[in-house]
């Protein structure tokens, strides 16, 4: 296989570090760019001595001049706790980051993939969500810096494609979990696992009837690389996620069972604009990428629990 020079923005984060690892395994040169806001050097410590790996501390809201063949644009805090910490910076990262990376792709004629999100569907009125659904997002709510930033980034990708003939790929990622999730980012999977391992109460927001579908990180990275390598002219957007839907209460019960914890479930107020349900329709990914997830929640949770044992 021919070695490519690949830029991964947000490469020191949860998904980015797994992606860098996999791209190196495939024989590529990887330039990991990250401002280390939510990502850590620990996530990529095992890659730093690799001869085909390079780390650069850089904020994507500023221009970047490097020579590359492909760009995976993942830079952006992904959890509400972190993206709401400095919401203006979150929008800047999505929008100005996209402009800079698209400008870079235009100059270098690189293929470019955007890590978009199921949050572009907002609190969806149709279920499961298909790519043609335009979403229901509150433009002035506390999630808007993330949701609208990501929506605008998609607009920029498609305009650069139409206006400058860029080779783009847009991926809408649904809830993903696995080792190297940030332990303090308040995501439901990491929260429940850490609470269960510590024997603390499991904090369900609302009644736990809201649903999510959880994709294990290895499945997600397979889908991401398949999309990048899909035929020219297929731009997406394409949903990548696990269509198997669980209520948050079911997730809590499963985590308690797998950790054999004595933790009790407690109920707390639901955060503002919290989507009631979310489930990807992955018909398009199956058709165009021959991709579907293979790792069951139980198996993926067990691997994630092993990882978090070092944090408690
Ligand atoms: P993460 O927070 O672990 O990774 C994001 C990385 O981007 C971090 O390393 C962070 O330091 C870096 N970053 C943030 N702002 C930056 C900036 N201005 N310049 C350079 N680097 C910057 O989150 P993740 O879960 O790995 O998410 C990666 C991407 O996937 C994000 O774009 C996110 O929106 C998207 N996504 C993730 C999920 C999920 O379930 N994990 C779901 C939907 C979409
Ligand atoms: N850019 C960059 N690296 C490059 C080329 C461009 O970071 O190799 C940035 C540049 O700062 C510019 C943005 O990408 O603001 C958009 O570039 P484009 O060529 O589309 O627009 P223009 O330069 O005309 O603003
Ligand atoms: N949630 C919960 N307890 C927690 C953390 C989250 O009940 O300790 C709920 C949250 O309200 C949401 C769901 O779990 O309904 C998924 O939350 P997460 O932040 O992981 O992802 P997102 O809302 O972005 O899908």
């Amino acid at each position: 296989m021919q070695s490519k020079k690949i830029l991964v923005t947000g490469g020191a984060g949860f998904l980015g570090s797994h992606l860098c690892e996999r791209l190196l395994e495939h024989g590529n040169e990887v330039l990991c760019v990250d401002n280390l806001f939510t990502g850590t050097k620990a996530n990529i410590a095992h890659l730093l001595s690799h001869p085909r790996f390079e780390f650069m501390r850089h904020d994507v809201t500023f221009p970047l001049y490097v020579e590359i063949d492909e760009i995976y644009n993942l830079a952006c805090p992904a959890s509400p706790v972190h993206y709401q910490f400095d919401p203006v910076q979150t929008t800047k990262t999505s929008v100005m980051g996209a402009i800079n990376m698209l400008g870079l792709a235009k100059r270098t004629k690189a293929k470019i993939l955007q890590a978009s999100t199921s949050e572009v569907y907002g609190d969806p009125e149709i279920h499961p969500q298909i790519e043609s659904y335009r979403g229901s997002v509150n433009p002035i709510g506390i999630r808007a810096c993330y949701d609208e930033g990501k929506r605008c980034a998609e607009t920029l990708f498609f305009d650069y494609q139409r206006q400058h003939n860029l080779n783009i790929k847009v991926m809408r990622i649904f809830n993903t979990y696995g080792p190297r999730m940030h332990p303090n980012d308040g995501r439901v999977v990491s929260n429940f696992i850490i609470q269960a391992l510590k024997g603390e109460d499991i904090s369900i927001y609302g009644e736990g009837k809201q649903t999510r579908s959880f994709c294990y990180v290895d499945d997600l990275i397979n889908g991401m690389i398949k999309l990048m390598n899909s035929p020219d002219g297929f731009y997406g957007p394409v949903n990548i996620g696990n269509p198997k839907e669980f209520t948050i209460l079911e997730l809590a019960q499963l985590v308690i069972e797998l950790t054999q914890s004595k933790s009790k479930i407690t109920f707390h107020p639901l955060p503002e604009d919290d989507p009631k349900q979310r489930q990807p329709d992955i018909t398009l990914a199956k058709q165009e990428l021959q991709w579907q997830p293979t790792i069951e929640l139980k198996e993926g949770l067990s691997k994630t629990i092993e990882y978090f044992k070092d944090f408690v």
Side-chain angles (χ1 to χ4, degrees):
M1 198 187 299
Q2 209 195 338
S3 175
K4 287 178 280 196
K5 288 198 188 85
I6 304 182
L7 167 63
V8 178
T9 77
F14 161 47
L15 299 181
S17 61
H18 286 274
L19 176 64
C20 288
E21 213 171 86
R22 194 77 69 82
L23 293 172
L24 286 170
E25 279 166 23
H26 291 180
N28 301 292
E29 274 181 51
V30 175
L31 172 60
C32 165
V33 162
D34 201 299
N35 70 351
L36 300 181
F37 172 42
T38 51
T40 61
K41 277 196 185 166
N43 283 343
I44 50 166
H46 59 301
L47 305 178
L48 288 173
S49 63
H50 194 295
R52 283 184 275 103
F53 182 78
E54 189 180 349
F55 172 67
M56 184 194 286
R57 186 164 180 152
H58 172 81
D59 185 321
V60 293
T61 61
F62 294 95
L64 176 66
Y65 286 81
V66 290
E67 305 310 313
I68 31 79
D69 303 314
E70 282 181 0
I71 307 170
Y72 287 84
N73 187 36
L74 273 64
C76 186
S79 72
V81 174
H82 288 127
Y83 72 64
Q84 288 164 13
F85 172 75
D86 184 349
V88 172
Q89 172 67 11
T90 300
T91 302
K92 280 187 189 171
T93 294
S94 274
V95 176
M96 292 163 69
I99 292 174
N100 286 328
M101 291 309 106
L102 287 161
L104 173 60
K106 183 179 136 199
R107 183 181 62 77
T108 58
K109 300 191 170 45
K111 195 170 8 171
I112 180 166
L113 180 147
Q114 168 67 358
S116 190
T117 169
S118 55
E119 294 280 329
V120 300
Y121 302 123
D123 193 358
E125 299 124 319
I126 67 152
H127 194 68
Q129 292 82 54
I130 49 169
E131 288 85 350
S132 55
Y133 173 55
R134 293 179 186 175
S136 165
V137 174
N138 172 2
I140 57 168
I142 57 173
R143 283 182 174 245
C145 59
Y146 183 72
D147 301 6
E148 298 289 19
K150 289 284 189 180
R151 287 170 66 96
C152 183
E154 287 199 9
T155 306
L156 284 161
F157 267 68
F158 278 83
D159 280 335
Y160 266 81
Q161 196 289 313
R162 284 184 286 255
Q163 206 171 322
H164 300 299
N165 204 23
L166 253 62
N167 196 354
I168 62 158
K169 306 281 176 187
V170 175
M171 168 178 188
R172 291 185 179 152
I173 302 172
F174 283 66
N175 296 60
T176 304
Y177 70 99
R180 300 193 208 126
M181 287 184 92
H182 201 291
N184 305 320
D185 73 358
R187 304 306 290 262
V188 69
V189 173
S190 43
N191 267 14
F192 285 2
I193 291 178
I194 290 171
Q195 288 163 345
L197 289 174
K198 286 185 172 167
E200 294 172 354
D201 289 347
I202 306 277
S203 56
I204 288 190
Y205 304 156
E207 294 171 30
K209 287 182 188 158
Q210 71 271 41
T211 67
R212 293 292 186 274
S213 37
F214 301 100
C215 186
Y216 188 65
V217 60
D218 290 357
D219 278 334
L220 194 282
I221 299 299
N222 280 343
M224 192 181 278
I225 292 175
K226 279 199 158 183
L227 174 59
M228 182 61 109
N229 295 322
S230 62
D232 289 354
F234 178 69
Y235 308 128
V238 59
N239 291 338
I240 300 285
N242 193 321
K244 204 150 181 209
E245 195 180 7
F246 293 86
T247 67
I248 296 303
L249 182 61
E250 285 169 332
L251 177 74
Q253 287 160 342
L254 191 55
V255 168
I256 290 175
E257 179 195 318
L258 293 174
T259 51
Q260 297 176 315
S261 172
K262 295 195 169 55
S263 293
K264 300 269 173 302
I265 290 174
T266 55
F267 295 90
H268 304 264
L270 198 62
E272 193 182 315
D273 285 342
D274 198 272
K276 284 181 270 310
Q277 52 183 16
R278 197 184 289 134
Q279 182 191 26
D281 181 319
I282 60 163
T283 310
L284 188 65
K286 281 184 181 162
Q287 260 170 19
E288 297 292 332
L289 310 177
Q290 290 74 52
W291 176 87
Q292 60 180 25
T294 57
I295 297 160
E296 294 289 335
L297 184 60
K298 240 183 183 175
E299 184 190 346
L301 279 180
S302 301
K303 292 184 185 180
T304 313
I305 288 165
E306 281 310 305
Y307 170 79
F308 277 112
K309 280 183 180 165
D310 289 340
F311 285 88
V312 297

